[in-house]
Amino acid sequence: MKFLKFCSVLLTLSWLSLANGAMADNNGEVLYNQYCSVCHGVIGQGDDRWPGLNDTGDMTAPPHNEKGHTWRHSSDDLVKMTLMGYRDPYNATEILTMPAYEGLLTEHQVLSIIEHIKSWWTPDQIENQRKLNQ
Ligand code: HEC
């Protein structure tokens, strides 16, 4: 009887740690900090030089907060830009200044990152972006 109880505790514990792992995998804030903050800033403030260019004449990382224009894109477009990468046609080099995350992040994970980014937008920006998604 004691042994059975022990097993059920063990099962519960392993289930809990699995559930926790899955949640961390899909936590927009954790993922943003891991994959995006180095260029776009921990609080979405963007590169210090933005909207200026970097040393090679390419666009610097724009802010994702209320000062940026991220909210002017539908969530579908934001997912596409993140998975496929992006470069402004006027950049001096041909490299994807915004790297492609396909294979590293799932669409679901990018959507959680976008949810985190939305926490920096004004209520008006959130409402306007919501309309783009319809
Ligand atoms: C190596 C630096 C770098 C990293 C890391 C990076 N970005 Fe970017 N990102 C850029 C640059 C630079 C641009 C501007 C590209 C251009 O206009 O040529 C950009 C542009 C964007 C844009 C389009 C502009 C906008 O705000 O509307 C989105 C969306 C975006 N990034 C999302 C992300 C997300 C989400 C992550 C993390 C998964 C990420 N980026 C990680 C450098 C980076």
Side-chain angles (χ1 to χ4, degrees), residues 100-132:
Y101 282 88
E102 196 161 35
L104 267 178
L105 294 170
T106 63
E107 187 176 330
H108 199 59
Q109 286 175 315
V110 177
L111 283 170
S112 328
I113 294 177
I114 294 170
E115 279 311 309
H116 175 58
I117 286 175
K118 279 187 193 169
S119 69
W120 298 315
W121 298 350
T122 65
D124 272 0
Q125 290 173 341
I126 290 176
E127 178 54 19
N128 279 309
Q129 201 262 354
R130 196 186 58 76
K131 287 185 195 147
L132 296 176

Side-chain angles (χ1 to χ4, degrees), residues 31-32 34-40 50 54 58-64 68-73 77-79 81-82 86-89 91 95-99 101 105 110 113-114 117:
L31 292 170
Y32 178 89
Q34 186 175 348
Y35 292 102
C36 323
S37 65
V38 63
C39 295
H40 290 282
W50 187 87
N54 66 14
D58 293 316
M59 276 292 288
T60 47
H64 285 316
H69 51 244
T70 313
W71 61 275
R72 291 183 183 269
H73 298 287
D77 282 351
L78 293 173
V79 168
M81 280 191 260
T82 308
Y86 179 75
R87 66 173 276 277
D88 189 284
N91 281 340
I95 59 163
L96 283 179
T97 36
M98 166 58 204
Y101 282 88
L105 294 170
V110 177
I113 294 177
I114 294 170
I117 286 175

Side-chain angles (χ1 to χ4, degrees), residues 15-25:
W15 184 86
L16 276 176
S17 71
L18 260 179
N20 248 335
M23 266 157 67
D25 243 25

